[in-house]
Amino acid sequence: QFSEAKRIYKDLIKDNPYDIKAKIGYIQTKFLLKEITIIGLESEYKSLLKLYPDHFGVLFNLGEVISWQGRYEEAIIYLKKASYIFPNNPDIFRRLAEVSKLGKDHDLAISYYEQVLERKPDDIGSRFNITDLKSKFGLNLYYGTRESQSAFSVDKLNVIGTNLSYRLSPEFTLNTGVEHIEVEGLRDQIISVGGIYDLGRGLKLSGKYSFIPNREFYFRQSTELGFTK
């Protein structure tokens, strides 16, 4: 499918060397076919940018490709230039907000989400993100079942829990929680405290210390440390 699309785009470029949409489609299919790396894709877009410095698709796609590589501040430069071409399009400002959030610039992300609402007042997602970014505290209530595996058996735990989080910085969030657990007539609590540090590019370092205050229930205390996405 992608090979056929690439052939069609190539023929369109041959018939009209100035067909910018065909050129964009051609390099995208080359990337999807793994004929070029993401670095090669960025290079192709930068070459197009020299020929078409004010083309929305080139600017927006270049910003996207750069953001995929974790260079968020640089990506915002190109996405912002794209927003000048279509200043009333809320989707562009939403993407600017998302990239700013990934780059840990929460104030800038809030500003862009507010610009989304100026253009689309009923955008619930932007309102939610603004509230989330402005609030340092978070509360999560949950219930359900969880499997616990020991050396001799696998038990299904009934769990009711609460988790309170506090964002100390854009990178670090502190968590504390209490879980009420029940299995085979036994009831107890697990109290935990931990944190998550955002290392960037979707990778997070997490740690948690848990203990059971009342009695032996699989463990008296435990420590967890690891990486998550």
Side-chain angles (χ1 to χ4, degrees), residues 53 70 72 85 110 158 161 222:
Y72 303 117
I85 299 172
I110 289 169
N158 296 312
S222 69

Side-chain angles (χ1 to χ4, degrees), residues 9-208:
Y9 285 131
K10 189 173 183 179
D11 289 343
L12 289 171
I13 295 169
K14 185 177 179 180
D15 293 337
N16 180 7
Y18 301 102
D19 189 338
I20 180 60
K21 290 184 178 180
K23 289 183 177 181
I24 290 174
Y26 181 69
I27 63 174
Q28 287 177 334
T29 52
K30 285 174 64 179
F31 176 69
L32 292 170
L33 288 166
K34 299 182 179 181
E35 294 178 0
I36 56 175
T37 64
I38 192 168
I39 295 174
L41 183 63
E42 178 184 343
S43 178
E44 293 269 16
Y45 275 123
K46 284 185 173 178
S47 296
L48 284 181
L49 187 65
K50 292 177 182 179
L51 300 173
Y52 308 94
D54 299 318
H55 190 276
F56 172 80
V58 175
L59 288 165
F60 187 86
N61 290 345
L62 178 57
E64 284 285 83
V65 170
I66 291 172
S67 74
W68 297 345
Q69 299 173 73
R71 290 155 37 211
Y72 303 117
E73 290 185 7
E74 185 180 351
I76 287 172
I77 293 173
Y78 294 104
L79 293 172
K80 194 172 182 179
K81 287 180 178 179
S83 74
Y84 297 150
I85 299 172
F86 292 109
N88 295 319
N89 188 328
D91 294 332
I92 303 170
F93 291 92
R94 184 181 297 104
R95 187 57 186 151
L96 277 162
E98 292 167 350
V99 174
S100 300
K101 186 177 179 180
L102 288 169
K104 309 298 184 302
D105 193 335
H106 289 182
D107 290 338
L108 186 58
I110 289 169
S111 173
Y112 282 128
Y113 279 124
E114 288 174 342
Q115 292 184 65
V116 173
L117 291 173
E118 289 175 7
R119 293 156 177 82
K120 190 178 180 183
D122 61 345
D123 193 292
I124 297 175
S126 293
R127 292 189 185 278
F128 175 83
N129 278 291
I130 289 171
T131 301
D132 180 59
L133 290 168
K134 286 184 175 180
S135 174
K136 290 184 178 293
F137 287 97
L139 179 63
N140 182 32
L141 306 175
Y142 56 94
Y143 67 91
T145 60
R146 179 188 305 152
E147 287 188 349
S148 176
Q149 185 171 356
S150 67
F152 305 103
S153 64
V154 177
D155 296 319
K156 183 172 289 188
L157 308 178
N158 296 312
V159 178
I160 299 175
T162 60
N163 184 78
L164 178 66
S165 62
Y166 178 71
R167 188 167 57 235
L168 295 172
S169 71
E171 294 82 14
F172 183 70
T173 300
L174 182 67
N175 296 294
T176 182
V178 177
E179 287 188 341
H180 300 271
I181 54 178
E182 179 180 350
V183 59
E184 296 182 355
L186 296 175
R187 293 184 180 140
D188 215 325
Q189 292 180 334
I190 298 177
I191 299 174
S192 61
V193 61
I196 298 175
Y197 188 85
D198 194 332
L199 300 170
R201 299 196 179 188
L203 188 64
K204 298 178 181 179
L205 175 65
S206 65
K208 183 171 72 171

